[in-house]
Amino acid sequence: MFKSRTGVDMVHVPYRGQGPALDDLIGGRIAAMFPIVPDVLAAIRADQVRALALASNSASEILPDVARMPQLGYPDLVASAWIALYAPAATPVEIFEQLRFQLDWLLASSAFGERMKQVGIEVKRMRPNEFAVFTQQERSRWATLIESLKLQIE
């Protein structure tokens, strides 16, 4: 996505995880990487690496001084990692509602929110209908990029 949006010529180097890539970034063996915040937050706080930009539409509570790609002139260079709780479609309504109640309680907990911020995760709640729209938009956006770049799984 970065290459296609910015025109910067760079080589993708596949790693076996963020840890080895971060080690090489800290060691100066690679010039840049595109990690998720939790994977590099400790290194940022220790001044081992510098966050240059976030691929986000919204300001970060965790890294408020880091520019966002849309602010830098790349409005569609946005990508986020997200976590969702799923249940089988046949889950009884009562169980689904209990799970949703418990999840809402957890997400509303200030202790949980603070712990997530400490490790670099910003919690954003979505209702099932909002999440359905969000996932459809994500599928469409990534499918368009994959098709335009003629990417294929090897």
Side-chain angles (χ1 to χ4, degrees):
M1 181 188 286
F2 184 82
K3 284 178 68 170
S4 71
R5 301 293 198 269
T6 65
V8 172
D9 186 27
M10 56 191 333
V11 176
H12 172 254
V13 178
Y15 275 82
R16 290 182 175 248
Q18 295 288 315
L22 181 58
D23 289 344
D24 279 356
L25 182 66
I26 291 169
R29 290 178 289 281
I30 60 173
M33 68 183 282
F34 297 89
I36 59 174
V37 172
D39 287 348
V40 294
L41 188 58
I44 292 169
R45 288 179 174 158
D47 290 326
Q48 294 174 305
V49 298
R50 184 177 349 164
L52 300 176
L54 296 170
S56 174
N57 275 325
S58 56
S60 169
E61 293 179 35
I62 297 166
L63 298 171
D65 298 329
V66 178
R68 293 172 283 119
M69 288 293 188
Q71 290 176 305
L72 299 175
Y74 303 100
D76 60 346
L77 211 165
V78 175
S80 62
W82 46 270
I83 301 168
L85 177 63
Y86 291 90
T91 301
V93 173
E94 312 81 53
I95 293 174
F96 178 79
E97 289 302 323
Q98 182 63 24
L99 283 170
R100 199 162 85 183
F101 174 80
Q102 293 294 328
L103 185 60
D104 284 345
W105 177 84
L106 178 66
L107 294 176
S109 161
S110 60
F112 179 77
E114 283 306 311
R115 180 65 184 130
M116 291 298 98
K117 283 182 192 173
Q118 288 172 1
V119 298
I121 298 172
E122 295 187 44
V123 177
K124 296 183 180 170
R125 297 165 59 180
M126 286 187 207
R127 292 278 160 229
N129 59 333
E130 295 171 309
F131 184 66
V133 170
F134 171 77
T135 54
Q136 183 54 45
Q137 290 170 339
E138 285 286 279
R139 265 191 217 113
S140 176
R141 190 166 66 94
W142 287 103
T144 300
L145 178 66
I146 290 165
E147 289 169 11
S148 72
L149 297 176
K150 297 177 179 46
L151 298 178
Q152 296 192 0
I153 296 173
E154 295 179 356

